[in-house]
């Protein structure tokens, strides 16, 4: 149906979805007043009860649509049974204003449509609808936002999921993808499952010509994602590549919302915008981990971390312009045109690969409301060996992208980091950090020739021999030993004690951090790294800057990933 007439094209921007389960935080989807009950996939409202969509999934973030797309007059469409008062509001930090209201009666067979202009709405607010029952037992069957547009840009998305022995997580993601399409419509999406563990068979996959299995060497997340990017680029049919983690709960409504957004982007934005998905904490489903991040001055800072998105204050904060130059690969839409210019990602194995690539591609990040995944809290995955990759790859990233500083500043940064760890009695972690600096100083030729699989195996063996492992339960610790939360440990709480128990705040397991003067002395003797830093840092930085193309070219990645297997 052509809502406004003429030669326009109708599209559904996104659905006003209801909570998917009883455990889902209702206030992410809807807010209710009075007696509202869920029946199958609709809501039943007693007389004078109401449902409103001033929520993370239900509001209309007109700032983003106005700034980046050709949209001027969206349309809210509701399938309802009974008589209902439909109200349209705009909410800002200062006030909530009623734009208009209308009472309608319907048998649910046709949508009730309510166009609204976004041209002159106030900055930093959001629009939403409230529906109040004006007859007994009204039904809300479905709602969505629509648009009539004069031009629709064809979007084709290659979704790349890099996985390593997480069959149950990935199976759930694939089944949800197919179920969403069964209930709605086919998305212009193909999924490339990059199997770094080589544990999948084609028989395990759902029967769909949209899902492709690509066996791969275990070259880490960097190698797996790059293999998927190569597969997508070589097929020359995609406008965007969506990178997704394998241990998430995806929201395919958000994927459709992002595709709709991209399909009506302004011409100057179409080949430039990156759309980032918000990471939600799987253990606290309403909690936002971050709304994108900013990498600046050798520091990666999450934007609006730990925000409860069921609260209006957090939702309004998302309506502010977000100065993000990085969207993580748990969910990230990248434009193929920009990727062709930027080249492939760096061979980092894990950690910082998405940060480096964001800086390389010069991401123009849009963090859309309602576009998200649920992911396990990163604190649960932490291990001291992570610091090796964070240190090494961080140094390379900053060297490549104008955040190198000078040799003395980086040397002082090294000493501050290591001394802090020594004061916390975290000698194993200090070793990993020093090893990261050392391998950075080996330069681009070492990174090119290095066997990442063998190196990673050695790193894990070092971790297994370390004492810093979260294995001892807090209840087993004697009263005479102080217990300190690992992620909140400070120098003052630890350095003057011979032994402290550092525990993980989620698992309540930890390890004894014992003062070891001999070990500390041996680590401090590694000043040779500092001298080497002072002597060679500039040439190392220049080497990486001049040879990123060599490290990231197709042929180099083909050697690493051993492109000799056939995909489905």
């Amino acid at each position: 149906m052509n809502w406004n007439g003429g030669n326009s094209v109708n599209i559904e921007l996104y659905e006003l979805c209801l909570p998917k389960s009883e455990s889902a935080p209702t206030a992410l989807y809807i807010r209710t007043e009075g007696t509202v009950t869920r029946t199958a996939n609709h809501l039943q409202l007693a007389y004078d009860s109401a449902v409103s969509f001033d929520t993370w999934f239900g509001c209309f973030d007109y700032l983003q649509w106005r700034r980046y797309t050709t949209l001027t007059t969206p349309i809210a469409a509701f399938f309802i049974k009974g008589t209902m008062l439909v109200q349209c509001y705009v909410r800002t930090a200062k006030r909530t204003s009623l734009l208009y209201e209308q009472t309608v009666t319907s048998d649910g067979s046709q949508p009730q449509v309510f166009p609204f202009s976004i041209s002159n709405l106030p900055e930093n607010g959001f629009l939403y609808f409230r529906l109040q029952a004006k007859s007994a037992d009204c039904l809300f069957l479905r709602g969505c936002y629509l648009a009539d547009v004069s031009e629709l840009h064809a979007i084709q998305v290659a979704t790349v999921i890099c996985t390593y022995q997480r069959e149950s997580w990935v199976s759930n993601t694939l089944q949800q993808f197919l179920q969403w399409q069964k209930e709605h419509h086919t998305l212009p999406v193909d999924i490339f499952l990059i199997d770094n563990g080589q544990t999948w068979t084609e028989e395990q996959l759902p029967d769909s010509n949209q899902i492709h299995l690509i066996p791969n060497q275990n070259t880490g997340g960097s190698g797996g994602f790059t293999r998927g990017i190569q597969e997508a680029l070589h097929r020359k049919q995609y406008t965007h590549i969506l990178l997704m983690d394998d241990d998430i709960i995806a929201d395919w409504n958000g994927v459709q919302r992002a595709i709709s957004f991209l399909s009506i982007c302004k011409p100057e934005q179409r080949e430039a915008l990156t759309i980032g998905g918000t990471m939600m904490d799987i253990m606290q489903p309403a909690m936002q981990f971050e709304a994108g991040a900013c990498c600046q001055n050798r520091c990666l800072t999450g934007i609006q971390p730990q925000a409860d998105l069921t609260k209006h204050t957090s939702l309004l904060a998302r309506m502010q312009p977000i100065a993000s130059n990085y969207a993580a690969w748990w969910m990230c839409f990248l434009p193929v045109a920009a990727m062709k210019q930027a080249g492939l990602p760096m061979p980092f194995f894990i950690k910082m690969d998405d940060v480096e690539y964001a800086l390389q591609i010069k991401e123009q990040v849009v963090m859309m409301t309602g576009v998200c995944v649920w992911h396990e809290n990163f604190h649960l995955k932490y291990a001291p060996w992570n610091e090796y990759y964070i240190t090494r790859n961080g140094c390379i990233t900053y060297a490549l992208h104008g955040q190198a500083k000078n040799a003395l500043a980086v040397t002082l940064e090294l000493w501050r980091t290591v001394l802090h760890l020594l004061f916390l009695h975290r000698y194993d972690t200090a070793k990993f950090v020093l090893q990261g600096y050392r391998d950075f100083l080996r330069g681009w030729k070492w990174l090119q020739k290095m066997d990442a699989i063998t190196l990673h195996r050695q790193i894990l063996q070092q971790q297994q021999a370390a004492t810093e492992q979260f294995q001892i339960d807090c209840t087993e610790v004697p009263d005479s030993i102080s217990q300190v939360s690992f992620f909140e440990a400070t120098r003052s709480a630890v350095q003057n004690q011979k032994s402290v128990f550092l525990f993980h705040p989620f698992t309540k397991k930890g390890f004894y951090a014992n003062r070891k003067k001999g070990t500390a002395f041996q680590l401090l003797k590694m000043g040779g790294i500092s001298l080497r830093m002072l002597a060679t840092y500039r040439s190392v930085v220049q080497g990486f800057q001049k040879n990123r193309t060599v490290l990231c070219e197709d042929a180099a990645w083909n050697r690493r990933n051993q492109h000799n297997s056939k995909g489905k």
Side-chain angles (χ1 to χ4, degrees):
M1 181 179 293
N2 203 328
W3 307 109
N4 291 331
N7 298 317
S8 58
V9 179
N10 301 133
I11 64 167
E12 180 176 308
L13 301 178
Y14 58 93
E15 182 179 12
L16 292 169
C17 49
L18 302 179
K20 295 178 175 59
S21 66
E22 292 184 2
S23 61
T26 300
L28 282 179
Y29 300 85
I30 58 174
R31 302 184 197 274
T32 60
E33 307 163 37
T35 304
V36 179
T37 55
R38 176 83 178 267
T39 306
N41 291 320
H42 54 263
L43 301 174
Q44 182 171 322
L45 291 79
Y47 178 78
D48 233 21
S49 298
V51 58
S52 63
F53 294 93
D54 47 334
T55 62
W56 165 249
F57 287 111
C59 75
F60 194 88
D61 178 4
Y62 55 79
L63 179 67
Q64 304 277 33
W65 294 88
R66 187 168 65 193
R67 177 176 297 173
Y68 297 110
T69 76
T70 58
L71 186 64
T72 58
T73 309
I75 303 162
F78 303 109
F79 289 83
I80 60 174
K81 278 187 178 182
T83 300
M84 302 188 83
L85 172 65
V86 179
Q87 298 173 307
C88 179
Y89 288 93
V90 168
R91 181 165 188 150
T92 65
K94 293 182 178 180
R95 63 180 63 89
T96 300
S97 305
L98 177 66
L99 288 187
Y100 68 83
E101 60 184 7
Q102 182 180 344
T103 300
V104 295
T105 301
S106 175
D107 63 1
S109 61
Q110 294 294 322
Q112 304 300 303
V113 296
F114 304 89
F116 55 95
S117 173
I118 60 175
S119 300
N120 298 313
L121 296 179
E123 294 292 317
N124 307 330
F126 61 84
L127 180 143
Y128 69 96
F129 281 81
R130 177 180 180 270
L131 284 70
Q132 185 174 21
K134 290 303 177 182
S135 63
D137 297 327
C138 287
L139 292 180
F140 174 87
L141 302 175
R142 186 175 184 268
C144 62
Y145 290 111
L146 307 169
D148 286 321
V149 294
S150 59
E151 182 182 4
L152 199 61
H153 183 59
I155 301 296
Q156 291 291 327
V157 178
T159 298
V160 176
I161 301 174
C162 171
T163 187
Y164 183 81
Q165 298 181 357
R166 286 193 174 122
E167 283 81 358
S168 61
W169 282 98
V170 175
S171 293
N172 185 53
T173 296
L174 298 179
Q175 292 295 344
Q176 286 181 342
F177 167 68
L178 296 176
Q179 184 63 30
W180 190 96
Q181 294 190 129
K182 183 178 179 181
E183 296 173 358
H184 297 83
H185 55 81
T186 300
L187 290 168
V189 171
D190 289 326
I191 295 178
F192 293 87
L193 180 60
I194 311 302
D195 179 20
N196 274 9
Q198 299 190 27
T199 53
W200 281 81
T201 63
E202 293 188 3
E203 289 71 27
Q204 291 173 273
L205 293 177
D207 185 16
S208 171
N209 59 9
Q210 292 176 272
I211 301 173
H212 311 272
L213 177 63
I214 311 292
N216 196 50
Q217 294 294 316
N218 183 23
T219 47
S222 305
F225 279 123
T226 301
R227 177 70 188 276
I229 291 169
Q230 288 179 295
E231 293 288 340
L233 293 180
H234 291 165
R235 300 189 185 208
K236 299 180 180 179
Q237 68 190 73
Y238 302 106
T239 59
H240 292 80
I241 294 177
L242 168 58
L243 305 179
M244 294 176 69
D245 273 347
D246 63 344
D247 54 347
I248 60 169
I249 298 175
D251 182 84
W252 293 100
N253 284 302
V255 173
Q256 189 236 338
R257 185 183 303 211
I259 290 172
S260 298
F261 186 90
L262 291 167
S263 71
I264 58 173
C265 270
K266 295 175 181 177
E268 64 272 20
Q269 305 285 2
R270 286 178 184 166
E271 297 183 350
L273 290 186
T274 291
I275 294 183
T278 295
M279 175 183 147
M280 311 289 278
D281 190 332
I282 207 166
M283 297 176 67
Q284 304 175 81
M287 193 65 68
Q288 169 182 277
F289 175 73
E290 67 181 25
C294 183
C295 184
Q296 190 173 353
N297 297 326
R298 299 178 69 87
C299 183
L300 185 64
T301 305
I303 297 171
Q304 299 172 12
Q306 301 303 306
D308 183 349
L309 292 181
T310 63
K311 295 182 178 179
H312 284 124
T313 51
S314 298
L315 201 55
L316 284 166
R318 286 297 303 261
M319 305 303 143
Q320 309 293 323
I322 294 177
S324 171
N325 64 354
Y326 155 66
W329 288 356
W330 51 66
M331 184 184 190
C332 180
F333 285 84
L334 292 167
V336 164
M339 297 177 80
K340 288 179 179 178
Q341 294 292 322
L344 296 173
M346 282 286 286
F348 280 171
F349 196 79
I350 58 171
K351 303 296 182 187
M352 299 293 291
D353 43 4
D354 49 1
V355 179
E356 191 281 329
Y357 198 65
L359 299 176
Q360 173 68 14
I361 205 172
K362 296 179 175 60
E363 286 185 3
Q364 299 178 41
V365 180
V366 176
M367 299 297 298
M368 295 181 64
T369 55
V371 178
C372 64
V373 297
W374 284 267
H375 197 296
E376 191 175 56
N377 191 296
F378 283 120
H379 283 332
L380 286 170
K381 297 182 173 186
Y382 180 82
W385 64 263
N386 295 169
E387 300 296 342
Y388 166 74
Y389 289 106
I390 292 170
T391 301
R392 186 197 73 182
N393 299 342
C395 285
I396 296 171
T397 296
Y398 302 137
L400 284 168
H401 299 289
Q403 300 182 30
K405 291 189 175 181
N406 57 53
L408 179 59
V410 177
T411 302
L412 292 174
E413 177 183 86
L414 181 160
W415 281 105
R416 280 194 297 270
T417 302
V418 173
L419 286 173
H420 175 71
L421 291 168
L422 295 181
F423 284 127
L424 296 181
H425 309 335
R426 290 178 55 193
Y427 307 108
D428 294 324
T429 304
K431 289 179 181 178
F432 284 122
V433 169
L434 285 166
Q435 187 174 344
Y437 279 109
R438 182 200 67 189
D439 286 353
F440 160 70
L441 290 172
R442 290 180 169 182
W444 74 273
K445 289 184 178 179
W446 174 83
L447 189 66
Q448 183 186 39
K449 297 177 181 178
M450 173 266 302
D451 183 340
I453 300 173
T454 300
L455 174 62
H456 186 61
R457 191 178 298 120
Q458 293 170 351
I459 293 292
L460 294 182
Q461 289 172 349
Q462 288 177 236
Q463 178 64 53
Q464 290 173 357
T467 59
E468 295 176 23
Q469 301 191 51
F470 300 104
Q471 295 180 340
I472 304 170
D473 195 278
C474 286
T475 58
E476 301 175 22
V477 179
D479 293 339
S480 58
I481 302 293
S482 297
Q483 296 191 31
V484 180
S485 177
F486 179 83
F487 297 107
E488 298 174 2
T490 62
R491 174 176 171 178
S492 60
V494 176
Q495 69 173 346
N496 293 325
Q497 302 190 56
K498 291 183 178 180
S499 182
V500 172
F501 185 76
L502 298 179
F503 68 90
H504 198 295
F506 294 146
T507 64
K508 303 301 180 184
K509 294 182 181 292
F511 57 88
Y512 292 100
N514 301 317
R515 185 187 301 161
K516 300 176 183 178
K517 293 183 179 179
T519 305
F521 179 73
Q522 290 301 317
L523 286 173
L524 290 170
K525 285 177 62 179
M526 295 180 70
I529 295 178
S530 300
L531 294 175
R532 187 175 175 187
M533 182 79 75
L534 293 169
T536 66
Y537 180 71
R538 184 176 181 182
S539 62
V540 169
V541 168
Q542 291 174 343
F544 279 112
Q545 291 174 343
K546 292 177 180 178
N547 293 283
R548 187 191 187 283
T549 302
V550 176
L551 290 165
C552 301
E553 63 186 358
D554 250 351
W557 270 115
N558 289 347
R559 289 192 296 272
R560 297 182 193 107
N561 282 326
Q562 297 182 22
H563 280 200
N564 55 11
S565 55
K566 294 182 179 180
K568 177 185 172 187

